[in-house]
Amino acid sequence: MSTPWIYNQKKDTLFILLPPFLIVGVVLLCQPFFSHLEDKYEFVNWLVFIVFIDVAHVYATLFKTYWVSGEVGKHRLRYWGIPLGCFVLGAVLYAFGSKLFWSVLAYLAVFHFIRQQYGFMRLYSRTEHTSLLKRRWDTVMIYVVTGLPMLYWFITPDRNYTWFTPDDFWRLSLPHAKPYWYVLYILFWLVHITLTFKEYQKFNQINWPKQMIIVGTAISWFTGIVYLNSDWAFTAINVVSHGVPYMALVYFNEIKGKPNELIIGQIPKQAVGVITFVIIVCGFAFCEEWLWEVMVWKEHFTVSDLATINWTALWVPLLTVPQFTHYILDGIIWKQKKRADNSARSS
């Protein structure tokens, strides 16, 4: 098997593969400390996890799309049509009620989070030689370790966390189904371990990065949704496991890998480049969240002159456009890369 690494072993491991394990370890070891932070320093939690990781990773997409030289010119309909379509669809959904709007966005977000893990798994599988059965089973496992925790959420009404707002998801109280859920979850893992062991016997190799993606996804989703019942723990695990690897992938591929293709100019190398990248995405994220606060939520920041203006039906769909667009574009731009990689390997 050729090297499976996206950039190199050290950086892939540190910034893409380890974040789910690290954040779960920190959360489990430091629950009292973080519970204290949640109670007394809720603003800090919001700023670090929501603004500087979750929202910031959305703006990292700019480095692969709008800020790539010639990219918008080649796909004008995509890059102008998708944001406009997201705004129009959002406005229509919001006109039917905020609950419908946030529910649709929440289901789309869950699908996006799941597909990102599938994408990473496929990236780390691109050079391996394995059986068709095992390739298909790895796909099944990504959907199992994400879908089953979501099913647990749907059948367990006592969860103390939300995705966007309360009642985003359709819920059904089935507390007696929990034992069956655990049995099903364990059975899937027994099959996965068995197939992985057979593959090792047949090919005398294990694709460790791919296995770390599957296991890391399982640990983060199980811990954040099933094992713990805490809003801050769910948020921390969810956004770190999702946002940090995505930003690292964009940085490695689009800034380190294509330093001369950005219309905003060449990003410096080494630590200065990382800091520049982080400042840019965090700056955009803070500006967006500031607008959310003064125009919609009014929890952390307020502007008195705007306090009497109630244009929520406009601002909510408009401010959701970057996130909504990210969900759609992310399902397109990485597929292009996949086709290019396949073409290069077959040539």
Side-chain angles (χ1 to χ4, degrees):
M1 180 178 66
S2 304
T3 176
W5 307 107
I6 298 171
Y7 191 68
N8 62 45
Q9 181 176 354
K10 180 179 178 181
K11 290 182 172 62
D12 279 29
T13 301
L14 184 60
F15 295 107
I16 295 178
L17 301 176
L18 281 185
F21 297 93
L22 293 177
I23 188 60
V24 167
V26 169
V27 166
L28 292 177
L29 291 173
C30 305
Q31 287 186 68
F33 172 73
F34 280 105
S35 296
H36 176 72
L37 281 182
E38 181 183 27
D39 294 335
K40 293 198 172 185
Y41 302 99
E42 190 273 336
F43 175 78
V44 176
N45 287 333
W46 170 80
L47 189 65
V48 172
F49 293 117
I50 300 300
V51 180
F52 291 157
I53 298 179
D54 189 30
V55 181
H57 99 277
V58 170
Y59 286 96
T61 311
L62 291 170
F63 289 90
K64 187 170 176 62
T65 54
Y66 293 92
W67 288 353
V68 176
S69 179
E71 181 69 11
V72 176
K74 290 188 296 184
H75 305 284
R76 292 183 185 277
L77 180 61
R78 173 192 303 170
Y79 290 118
W80 296 115
I82 290 178
L84 179 61
C86 288
F87 172 70
V88 172
L89 178 58
V92 170
L93 290 172
Y94 203 86
F96 284 94
S98 61
K99 186 180 185 303
L100 175 64
F101 173 85
W102 288 112
S103 292
V104 171
L105 204 65
Y107 281 111
L108 183 60
V110 171
F111 181 72
H112 164 72
F113 273 57
I114 294 172
R115 289 294 294 181
Q116 176 170 305
Q117 298 311 107
Y118 169 80
F120 272 118
M121 188 269 292
R122 283 300 174 210
L123 276 175
Y124 285 113
S125 304
R126 67 195 187 282
T127 61
E128 74 173 348
H129 301 285
T130 187
S131 66
L132 178 61
L133 172 62
K134 188 60 168 61
R135 286 199 300 271
R136 289 179 174 174
W137 181 258
D138 290 336
T139 298
V140 169
M141 281 303 294
I142 286 292
Y143 286 102
V144 164
V145 299
T146 53
L148 281 185
M150 290 305 302
L151 177 61
Y152 187 93
W153 189 345
F154 298 157
I155 66 174
T156 310
D158 64 345
R159 300 291 88 188
N160 295 326
Y161 45 79
T162 61
W163 197 285
F164 290 128
T165 61
D167 301 321
D168 281 338
F169 302 120
W170 179 78
R171 308 286 288 278
L172 180 63
S173 180
L174 294 173
H176 299 297
K178 286 184 181 181
Y180 301 100
W181 183 94
Y182 280 100
V183 170
L184 183 62
Y185 193 80
I186 292 171
L187 285 176
F188 273 109
W189 272 106
L190 289 176
V191 174
H192 181 72
I193 292 170
T194 301
L195 289 177
T196 302
F197 179 71
K198 287 185 176 181
E199 286 291 299
Y200 175 73
Q201 288 183 315
K202 183 177 181 179
F203 296 103
N204 195 31
Q205 62 186 15
I206 293 179
N207 187 339
W208 289 112
K210 181 186 71 176
Q211 293 303 322
M212 287 184 70
I213 287 292
I214 295 173
V215 175
T217 302
I219 289 176
S220 60
W221 285 65
F222 182 89
T223 305
I225 296 175
V226 179
Y227 181 68
L228 298 177
N229 192 14
S230 163
D231 186 60
W232 74 264
F234 168 73
T235 300
I237 293 173
N238 196 32
V239 302
V240 170
S241 300
H242 179 76
V244 173
Y246 185 86
M247 287 191 283
L249 177 65
V250 171
Y251 183 82
F252 294 153
N253 269 10
E254 308 307 318
I255 297 177
K256 293 282 287 184
K258 306 170 186 176
N260 300 316
E261 295 186 11
L262 296 175
I263 62 175
I264 63 171
Q266 186 171 345
I267 301 295
K269 296 181 179 180
Q270 305 305 326
V272 177
V274 175
I275 294 171
T276 303
F277 172 70
V278 171
I279 289 175
I280 291 172
V281 296
C282 288
F284 273 93
F286 184 83
C287 290
E288 180 194 311
E289 285 302 305
W290 184 82
L291 287 173
W292 272 107
E293 286 296 316
V294 300
M295 295 299 183
V296 182
W297 306 128
K298 300 178 176 65
E299 295 176 350
H300 302 291
F301 304 102
T302 58
V303 177
S304 57
D305 292 338
L306 298 173
T308 59
I309 301 176
N310 187 14
W311 289 357
T312 305
L314 170 66
W315 281 109
V316 170
L318 183 61
L319 290 174
T320 312
V321 167
Q323 186 174 1
F324 205 160
T325 302
H326 168 70
Y327 294 160
I328 305 301
L329 282 180
D330 202 53
I332 300 172
I333 56 180
W334 299 106
K335 286 184 178 179
Q336 289 181 314
K337 178 65 176 176
K338 180 180 177 181
R339 287 196 296 267
D341 287 342
N342 290 339
S343 176
R345 286 197 301 274
S346 63
S347 61

